[in-house]
Amino acid sequence: MPRNFLTTADWTREELDGLLDAALRFKRGEDASKPLAGRSVALVFFNPSLRTRASMQVGVYELGGQAVVLEPGGTSWTLEHREAVVMDGDKTEHVAEFVRVLARYCSAIGVRTFAALKDWNEERRDPVLSAFAKFSEVPVINLESAMHHPCQALADMLTVRERLGEGRKRVLLTWAWHPKPLPMAVPNSFALAAAQMGHDLTIAHPPGYELDDELIGEINSRAFDAGATVRVTRDIEEAFDGQEVVYAKSWGSKLFYGSAADDIEERAPYRREWIVDAGKMRRTDDALFMHCLPVRRNCIVTDEVIDSPASVVIDEAENRLHVQKAIMAKLLG
Ligand code: CP
């Protein structure tokens, strides 16, 4: 079993199934164990959060422990993660000390560190998360990094399983228009987890919004191993045909990474077309509508769809709690 929970790619299909089974036991009230009794978990937030922060704090409490929430640059010192740098700028403390100190107090460290959307070649390597994992002497849980949001992806897989049962499903990940460029962590992790779980995956996006080449290679490989298929399309209408799950998310273009103005201008023509609406949902096989939240209504999805019985966005948010309890219990139990 991996020491950390950084990406689902580090975990086998059997291990992920085990986490989903454990999450369901927590959800159904069949497991009231307290593996964190007398222990603490540090939750480090470089970025804002509703679901992740609340569900992790509640989850740690329900497992018998306590959460220590830190916000670098706010309630704790600004942090440097690069190695061999002269720290004469605005960063006060290095991750090397920060993480090792925390590990003396806490049994695990969760960290949220979004992509800064400045330098694609640097951020695709997940430098801050990697520094935490390198220096930590206790398990590290990725609470959304530049490249991955594995807790969200696992909650999404649980939601699909609960609503549609076990086995292979037809799943669409569709890009959607948004007023500013967003990181790729959620689509990356959803596509990867869907492939690992053996779902037939369609990824729809306009030209220029391709996911990372290396990651697409990994997604294809995992899908092949699981006996599933992956296809990419630029046709937003046909993409919906016969799908059982529609997962909407916006993300920025690698071509305009670090240039928000260019990215916004580039995708302006897609505003009317790349939205999940009732007409597109009618092309599906009564698909679930999914989104990680927060969502901009009537940009990503119409009110009609998100307020319809097909929408499972609140279940996805609830399932964050149950899967994260399963992850912590596995890593620390
Ligand atoms: N989906 C998700 O991670 O939500 P928050 O950003 O509110 O934590």
Side-chain angles (χ1 to χ4, degrees), residues 54-216:
S55 60
M56 283 299 291
Q57 284 190 268
V58 171
V60 171
Y61 169 77
E62 290 185 1
L63 293 178
Q66 72 151 354
V68 178
V69 179
L70 297 163
E71 295 156 322
T75 53
S76 65
W77 303 112
T78 49
L79 278 184
E80 177 62 74
H81 68 275
R82 296 168 299 168
E83 294 187 42
V85 292
V86 178
M87 288 176 55
D88 59 356
D90 62 351
K91 301 292 168 57
T92 306
E93 181 152 39
H94 200 281
V95 168
E97 286 77 49
F98 176 90
V99 164
R100 287 184 293 172
V101 168
L102 275 182
R104 299 287 174 98
Y105 309 141
C106 298
S107 299
I109 301 173
V111 57
R112 162 162 286 198
T113 169
F114 286 172
L117 297 175
K118 286 184 179 162
D119 181 341
W120 167 248
N121 286 322
E122 184 190 348
E123 291 175 23
R124 66 180 294 283
R125 293 185 295 101
D126 249 342
V128 181
L129 179 71
S130 300
F132 269 68
K134 174 177 176 177
F135 291 110
S136 180
E137 291 151 9
V138 297
V140 173
I141 301 170
N142 182 356
L143 302 180
E144 189 171 350
S145 64
M147 282 296 279
H148 288 287
H149 197 354
C151 294
Q152 181 66 55
L154 203 60
D156 297 334
M157 293 305 117
L158 181 62
T159 308
V160 171
R161 181 182 287 192
E162 272 184 312
R163 290 297 189 123
L164 301 181
E166 297 202 21
R168 189 173 175 175
K169 308 293 175 224
R170 294 182 299 280
V171 171
L172 168 65
L173 166 64
T174 178
W175 185 91
W177 182 88
H178 188 278
K180 59 181 186 177
L182 296 178
M184 300 175 195
V186 168
N188 286 348
S189 286
F190 178 82
L192 180 60
Q196 286 182 273
M197 300 309 288
H199 297 309
D200 289 324
L201 176 66
T202 300
I203 304 174
H205 59 73
Y209 289 83
E210 288 75 18
L211 297 179
D212 181 62
D213 288 340
E214 198 176 308
L215 183 81
I216 286 287

Side-chain angles (χ1 to χ4, degrees), residues 48-53 112 144 149 152 292-294 320:
S49 166
L50 166 64
R51 281 144 288 272
T52 305
R53 181 170 173 157
R112 162 162 286 198
E144 189 171 350
H149 197 354
Q152 181 66 55
C292 62
L293 303 182
R320 293 289 304 278

Side-chain angles (χ1 to χ4, degrees), residues 37-52:
R39 302 163 85 182
S40 298
V41 174
L43 304 176
V44 182
F45 282 89
F46 287 84
N47 313 100
S49 166
L50 166 64
R51 281 144 288 272
T52 305

